[in-house]
Amino acid sequence: MKGDGSEYLCLILLLLHQTSVSRPEKFQVLGPADPVVADVGEDVVLPCYLKPNISAEDMHVEWIRLQSTDRLVHLYQERENRNEKQIPSYRGRTALFPEELKKGNTSLKLTGVRVSDDGQYKCFIQSDLWYDDASLLVEVRAVGTDPVISMEGYREGGIGLLCESKGWHPEPELIWLDSEGHRLPAGPTETLRDSMDLFIVRRSVIIQEGDTNRFTCQVQQQQLNQEKETEFHIHAEMFQRAHPWKVAFAVFFTLGVPAVIGLAVLIHYHVKLHRKKGETLIHVCYWILK
Ligand SMILES: *[C@@H]1O[C@H](CO)[C@@H](O)[C@H](O)[C@H]1NC(C)=O
Ligand SMILES: *[C@@H]1O[C@H](CO)[C@@H](O)[C@H](O)[C@H]1NC(C)=O
């Protein structure tokens, strides 16, 4: 066996084996660079994985929330899920992918997305020798309903319209437009939250008779690149019904003021007259009502 070089081959193989075994188990933890968009009510996967793709089955995998006092979203340790100290709102909604752990994939599945899931997360992974983490941002979104327009009745010589749209996240902007697409001066936007913490927006406007009598309520959410609108048409006769008020106001201000003065003068003299006779104010009132 001497001199055939097999001992060298053996030595080389041994050395190769040594380097592969003692190679430091360093790894990187990677997540997505872009925010993860999650729709309310849907399920979402928060990506996180090891590079190189070594198994994470025997590692400590911790998903946590940043900017929160309660921090734990999901914990995997000693080959088990340990969620006793999990933030209550995540209870029963988180899971790793057991088959994927072998491939170094520590992505988290989150079911039934809620508004409160919005924000920054960290995926922290630790082996006996090494640890690393990756952060990612979750943006929760909900596209709301088509706006609903209702009539509020006659207001300040015009007609009051109210527009409402529900179920948004983040908060949208609500605007009123005339038939040419110009913004109408409207009241302040009222913002409410529903039981799922989604935004409800409402805004009213007082409209005057125009050429087309078409008015549009538009709800926009620029971050979501979403826009919803509803058009409303008012018949011209509706505006005519607004006119009796205008007429009444006009009568009051032209005829009304002199009439009130005249009445005041009359009362004044009548009171003077009856005081002499010792009559009381009650009689005066009675006289006016007659
Ligand atoms: C790890 O990645 C390599 C390529 O980078 C691929 O060939 C291999 O199948 C992966 N292993 C697992 C367990 O996914
Ligand atoms: C990790 O597993 C999830 C769920 O199966 C999958 O959607 C995702 O693409 C995987 N990521 C990688 C890097 O393999």
Side-chain angles (χ1 to χ4, degrees), residues 65 68 70-73 83 85-91:
R65 279 298 300 259
S68 172
D70 286 308
R71 288 163 57 88
L72 188 66
V73 173
N83 286 322
K85 293 188 180 143
Q86 187 181 41
I87 301 172
S89 66
Y90 290 95
R91 193 132 298 158

Side-chain angles (χ1 to χ4, degrees), residues 209 213 233-241:
E209 189 168 10
N213 294 329
H233 180 237
I234 298 184
H235 291 285
E237 303 92 78
M238 295 297 293
F239 286 100
Q240 274 141 37
R241 277 187 60 196

Side-chain angles (χ1 to χ4, degrees), residues 11-27:
L11 191 67
I12 288 164
L13 284 173
L14 195 69
L15 275 170
L16 276 173
H17 181 71
Q18 281 285 337
T19 49
S20 73
V21 162
S22 67
R23 185 180 62 197
E25 265 199 83
K26 283 190 183 175
F27 55 81

Side-chain angles (χ1 to χ4, degrees), residues 52-54 102-104:
N53 55 1
I54 50 175
K102 290 179 202 149
K103 303 183 228 168

Side-chain angles (χ1 to χ4, degrees), residues 49 97 100 105 107:
Y49 56 95
F97 297 90
E100 294 287 329
N105 182 348
S107 299

Side-chain angles (χ1 to χ4, degrees), residues 188-201:
T189 304
E190 189 188 351
T191 307
L192 306 162
R193 296 278 196 129
D194 69 11
S195 59
M196 284 169 70
D197 237 9
L198 297 171
F199 288 101
I200 300 170
V201 286

Side-chain angles (χ1 to χ4, degrees), residues 179-236:
S179 58
E180 278 146 37
H182 299 130
R183 274 190 189 221
L184 289 166
T189 304
E190 189 188 351
T191 307
L192 306 162
R193 296 278 196 129
D194 69 11
S195 59
M196 284 169 70
D197 237 9
L198 297 171
F199 288 101
I200 300 170
V201 286
R202 275 185 203 152
R203 195 172 189 187
S204 57
V205 68
I206 293 165
I207 42 120
Q208 307 295 337
E209 189 168 10
D211 293 336
T212 63
N213 294 329
R214 285 184 191 283
F215 304 92
T216 301
C217 171
Q218 193 178 78
V219 182
Q220 330 173 315
Q221 215 313 320
Q222 274 166 2
Q223 280 161 267
L224 305 183
N225 197 23
Q226 289 286 332
E227 189 177 287
K228 299 223 166 191
E229 62 176 42
T230 300
E231 199 185 71
F232 199 74
H233 180 237
I234 298 184
H235 291 285

Side-chain angles (χ1 to χ4, degrees), residues 155-166:
R155 299 279 149 87
E156 295 161 36
I159 294 173
L161 297 181
L162 176 71
C163 178
E164 181 179 270
S165 179
K166 299 176 181 180

